[in-house]
Amino acid sequence: MLIALSNVVFAQKDVTKFLGIPVDGTKEEMIQELKAKGFRSSSHDREVLEGEFNGTKVTLHVVTNKNKVYRIMVADKIPRNEPSIKIRFNTLCKQFNNNPNYISFDDYEIPENEDISYEITAHHKRYEAAFYQKPDVTDSLMIKNMVRDAMLSRYAGYVVENPTEDAMDKIQSDVYKMYIDRISYKSVWFMISELYGEYYIAMYYDNKYNEANGEDL
């Protein structure tokens, strides 16, 4: 049982990463990290970066809450027409689905015959897709011990060692909820945006541990 549950435990600072960089720290630190990856400041705003990402020219925006980075926004620099943006959106869906570092809970691909301009204009439909980065796992023995400790804190030891069928279902249900809750903090999602009749992809790498949760209200 512990082995089966081992992939649901996370390091304490297991946060969303962009190009291997944790989406965390200060804005200044993040900009320097991104420049080390080859991005450069745009001519009109030193805090807006430009470069190439996943084969596409993009602009990068670092978003903070109380000077802690919680989002990297990646936007296509060159807009596209409707057929092209549909292909790009569906290609991204396939790439994320084929990447073992991500998990998703839905199929977001746009049907080939869908008129997205009509749907956006007439029905205000949003075309977006949500994925989640899987937890970082480095030491299987440590992970098994962490799972065991987590279960012992919730249930009597004998239930963990020799669980009944009902107890097993309850434990697995609780751990699955923990898993979903934790990966939701490592969200990567993208959407089609429209500007003057042309379209572009806006992609968001979010560290939800750092975003505002109404504490200032």
Side-chain angles (χ1 to χ4, degrees):
M1 172 185 167
L2 294 179
I3 295 174
L5 298 179
S6 65
N7 63 348
V8 305
V9 181
F10 315 84
Q12 181 120 16
K13 287 295 288 181
D14 183 20
V15 301
T16 311
K17 293 182 176 64
F18 175 74
L19 292 176
I21 306 169
V23 181
D24 204 355
T26 67
K27 188 171 191 175
E28 294 76 15
E29 291 169 342
M30 176 59 68
I31 288 175
Q32 291 307 310
E33 293 258 27
L34 292 170
K35 286 183 174 180
K37 293 286 186 178
F39 294 95
R40 62 191 181 279
S41 293
S42 71
S43 57
H44 65 277
D45 188 338
R46 60 176 293 273
E47 293 189 343
V48 175
L49 304 181
E50 297 179 344
E52 185 175 304
F53 176 68
N54 194 37
T56 301
K57 291 182 178 180
V58 298
T59 60
L60 298 185
H61 303 259
V62 180
V63 188
T64 62
N65 172 45
K66 296 182 177 178
N67 202 34
K68 294 185 71 175
V69 177
Y70 77 87
R71 167 176 288 174
I72 302 295
M73 175 188 173
V74 186
D76 290 354
K77 189 174 181 180
I78 302 173
R80 302 166 186 253
N81 60 23
E82 181 177 345
S84 180
I85 202 66
K86 188 187 300 184
I87 292 171
R88 171 149 167 70
F89 184 92
N90 286 344
T91 298
L92 279 172
C93 288
K94 291 184 175 71
Q95 289 175 336
F96 274 100
N97 281 322
N98 292 333
N99 190 321
N101 296 319
Y102 288 87
I103 187 170
S104 182
F105 302 102
D106 209 341
D107 178 12
Y108 300 102
E109 291 189 42
I110 304 171
E112 186 175 343
N113 61 350
E114 183 149 324
D115 186 338
I116 66 172
S117 60
Y118 173 78
E119 293 295 335
I120 291 172
T121 302
H123 299 142
H124 306 289
K125 184 171 181 177
R126 284 169 59 95
Y127 290 95
E128 59 183 55
F131 297 84
Y132 304 91
Q133 291 182 354
K134 291 181 180 179
D136 292 335
V137 176
T138 56
D139 188 324
S140 60
L141 178 60
M142 177 193 70
I143 290 165
K144 286 189 287 185
N145 289 338
M146 290 176 66
V147 172
R148 180 183 177 85
D149 290 345
M151 293 303 97
L152 285 172
S153 70
R154 289 172 176 246
Y155 306 98
Y158 74 90
V159 174
V160 177
E161 297 294 345
N162 300 291
T164 64
E165 185 174 342
D166 286 345
M168 175 71 80
D169 290 343
K170 181 68 167 70
I171 290 171
Q172 290 180 335
S173 175
D174 284 355
V175 173
Y176 182 71
K177 289 176 183 176
M178 291 165 56
Y179 176 78
I180 297 302
D181 179 65
R182 294 296 294 272
I183 66 170
S184 70
Y185 282 79
K186 299 182 67 177
S187 171
V188 179
W189 61 284
F190 56 91
M191 63 182 292
I192 294 176
S193 294
E194 184 267 340
L195 182 65
Y196 303 123
E198 295 186 299
Y199 304 91
Y200 64 94
I201 293 290
M203 191 178 304
Y204 304 88
Y205 284 72
D206 288 346
N207 171 6
K208 291 186 175 292
Y209 291 103
N210 287 350
E211 71 177 14
N213 288 304
E215 62 271 17
D216 292 336
L217 297 179

